[in-house]
Amino acid sequence: MNNSFSESGLANYTGNEDREILRNRFLVICLISAVYLSVLSVLTTLSNGVLLVVLYQDPFKSFRHPPSIFIIGLAVADFFTGIAVDPLFAYFYFELYKDTISSERYNFTLKAAGILSSITMNVSFLTILFLSWTQFIAISFPHRHKQLVTTRRVVASMCGIWIYSLLFSCTLLMGVPEKIFQKLDVFVNLSLINILVLVSYIALQVSYRRQIARLIPAQNNEIRIADTSELRRRKDQKHFVVVSLLLAICLLVFIAPVTAMWYVTLYWTPKTYEEQVKATIANIIVDTSLFMKFLIDPFIYAWRLPKFRHAVNTIFTRRRRSFSVGALALHNINIHASTTRIN
């Protein structure tokens, strides 16, 4: 997140009429951001929480492929964003709006929210990158895919992503200067990952089109593939390719404005109060819009699929039935106990 606030000085500044109008506009943006993030927090937590429940129970055994581990890791990062990062920033913006936050609480809240968001966002970005690579291997080397992409390797990659994200984000607590940390974050975790995701997206798209071109002649033949397992494998492969492409596009759409804003923040210094307030308002709008990505993610790779919605319906219908049976049994026990006491 951009750190262009100045010890809550924007919220405490008083000046002429034009500056007062600009200050009031800043406070309104803070209030809108607080409400927006509060609502987004609930929706993100629920959508990713239900996704994790379904992936854990998996009633139809349809999510037990190695790439699904990346989906689980992505859902965990999105879930923590919704349950921890969104509320923390919502509280921060609401305190700015009330104009009651102290310098100590301002710095602590902003630093804590920045570290937590850095962890979950880096995990999310890197997971999408690794998922794109996995699908590129599946398309380009279909006969070696099972040997190259194994459950053990995917789990190791996911653990490595979390460890890297934790260590990188905690460098602020180890005494690394904030400016150096911000530049590394922009150059490595934003710019480099953006470029790699874009390259992976292009390579995946080219490889997928080549595969489709190879399959068209085979589809025109009278002899069809009879092996249902092979058909299922190709169907799952197509699904994950589409998911990877959609996730990559979603990431690039939301992260590009944030990256551009970070470069402006790092290499441009506002010369007047008006420029500082306008830059801060722009930072808030761009930063808060990024959190929408963590709500959209589960709808891209799960909620839009009929089999996932069917799994959700099956799990929660089963739970309602179990609850009804348990309640009926308890009711019968109570009636039996009352009858026994009367007799």
Side-chain angles (χ1 to χ4, degrees), residues 211-337:
Q211 187 199 49
I212 294 298
R214 289 196 302 268
L215 291 178
I216 289 177
Q219 292 176 352
N220 293 330
N221 293 333
E222 295 181 358
I223 301 176
R224 302 292 182 180
I225 300 176
D227 188 359
T228 57
S229 63
E230 178 66 16
L231 288 173
R232 191 181 301 111
R233 184 189 69 81
R234 289 188 177 183
K235 186 177 180 180
D236 292 339
Q237 186 182 80
K238 179 181 178 181
H239 160 65
F240 273 107
V241 168
V242 173
V243 166
S244 300
L245 294 177
L246 289 176
L247 287 174
I249 293 173
C250 180
L251 175 62
L252 293 172
V253 167
F254 281 101
I255 203 64
V258 176
T259 304
M261 188 61 69
W262 260 113
Y263 277 103
V264 172
T265 302
L266 289 176
Y267 296 104
W268 176 72
T269 303
K271 297 179 181 179
T272 64
Y273 169 79
E274 287 79 6
E275 288 182 351
Q276 184 181 10
V277 177
K278 291 178 180 179
T280 303
I281 291 175
N283 286 335
I284 294 175
I285 294 173
V286 171
D287 283 343
T288 52
S289 66
L290 175 60
F291 288 109
M292 180 62 70
K293 170 200 170 298
F294 301 93
L295 173 62
I296 294 176
D297 280 350
F299 288 92
I300 289 178
Y301 54 73
W303 282 96
R304 66 183 183 85
L305 300 176
K307 68 176 182 179
F308 177 81
R309 295 194 296 270
H310 185 41
V312 172
N313 183 59
T314 300
I315 291 173
F316 287 96
T317 300
R318 185 187 305 165
R319 288 191 174 186
R320 284 198 298 269
R321 289 175 180 173
S322 299
F323 177 77
S324 300
V325 171
L328 180 62
L330 181 60
H331 178 68
N332 292 334
I333 291 173
N334 291 335
I335 293 177
H336 178 72

Side-chain angles (χ1 to χ4, degrees), residues 54-55 58 60-65 68 301 305 307-308 311:
V54 173
L55 290 175
D58 195 7
F60 305 116
K61 315 300 180 188
S62 54
F63 302 103
R64 300 199 172 184
H65 308 289
S68 297
Y301 54 73
L305 300 176
K307 68 176 182 179
F308 177 81

Side-chain angles (χ1 to χ4, degrees), residues 88-340:
L88 198 53
F89 274 109
Y91 164 77
F92 174 73
Y93 289 130
F94 187 67
E95 287 296 310
L96 281 180
Y97 166 74
K98 291 195 304 179
D99 198 6
T100 57
I101 190 169
S102 63
S103 296
E104 293 76 14
R105 192 161 45 140
Y106 172 93
N107 290 326
F108 175 80
T109 305
L110 186 59
K111 191 171 185 177
I115 290 175
L116 289 176
S117 64
S118 177
I119 294 172
T120 58
M121 289 182 182
N122 287 338
V123 169
S124 181
F125 301 161
L126 288 170
T127 302
I128 292 174
L129 177 61
F130 274 67
L131 187 61
S132 299
W133 288 349
T134 300
Q135 296 317 304
F136 177 76
I137 294 174
I139 296 298
S140 302
F141 311 101
H143 301 295
R144 299 188 57 195
H145 177 250
K146 289 185 178 180
Q147 289 75 29
L148 295 174
V149 182
T150 63
T151 300
R152 180 177 297 181
R153 289 179 178 176
V154 173
V155 170
S157 299
M158 203 67 245
C159 291
I161 288 173
W162 275 96
I163 291 172
Y164 165 78
S165 300
L166 287 168
L167 291 177
F168 183 89
S169 300
C170 289
T171 52
L172 270 178
L173 304 177
M174 301 175 185
V176 176
E178 188 172 358
K179 274 295 182 183
I180 295 178
F181 173 82
Q182 290 176 351
K183 289 182 178 181
L184 286 174
D185 195 25
V186 172
F187 296 152
V188 178
N189 296 326
L190 289 179
S191 301
L192 180 60
I193 291 179
N194 262 332
I195 294 172
L196 291 177
V197 168
L198 181 60
V199 171
S200 300
Y201 166 75
I202 295 173
L204 185 60
Q205 184 73 7
V206 171
S207 181
Y208 183 65
R209 289 182 179 276
R210 287 179 178 176
Q211 187 199 49
I212 294 298
R214 289 196 302 268
L215 291 178
I216 289 177
Q219 292 176 352
N220 293 330
N221 293 333
E222 295 181 358
I223 301 176
R224 302 292 182 180
I225 300 176
D227 188 359
T228 57
S229 63
E230 178 66 16
L231 288 173
R232 191 181 301 111
R233 184 189 69 81
R234 289 188 177 183
K235 186 177 180 180
D236 292 339
Q237 186 182 80
K238 179 181 178 181
H239 160 65
F240 273 107
V241 168
V242 173
V243 166
S244 300
L245 294 177
L246 289 176
L247 287 174
I249 293 173
C250 180
L251 175 62
L252 293 172
V253 167
F254 281 101
I255 203 64
V258 176
T259 304
M261 188 61 69
W262 260 113
Y263 277 103
V264 172
T265 302
L266 289 176
Y267 296 104
W268 176 72
T269 303
K271 297 179 181 179
T272 64
Y273 169 79
E274 287 79 6
E275 288 182 351
Q276 184 181 10
V277 177
K278 291 178 180 179
T280 303
I281 291 175
N283 286 335
I284 294 175
I285 294 173
V286 171
D287 283 343
T288 52
S289 66
L290 175 60
F291 288 109
M292 180 62 70
K293 170 200 170 298
F294 301 93
L295 173 62
I296 294 176
D297 280 350
F299 288 92
I300 289 178
Y301 54 73
W303 282 96
R304 66 183 183 85
L305 300 176
K307 68 176 182 179
F308 177 81
R309 295 194 296 270
H310 185 41
V312 172
N313 183 59
T314 300
I315 291 173
F316 287 96
T317 300
R318 185 187 305 165
R319 288 191 174 186
R320 284 198 298 269
R321 289 175 180 173
S322 299
F323 177 77
S324 300
V325 171
L328 180 62
L330 181 60
H331 178 68
N332 292 334
I333 291 173
N334 291 335
I335 293 177
H336 178 72
S338 300
T339 305
T340 303

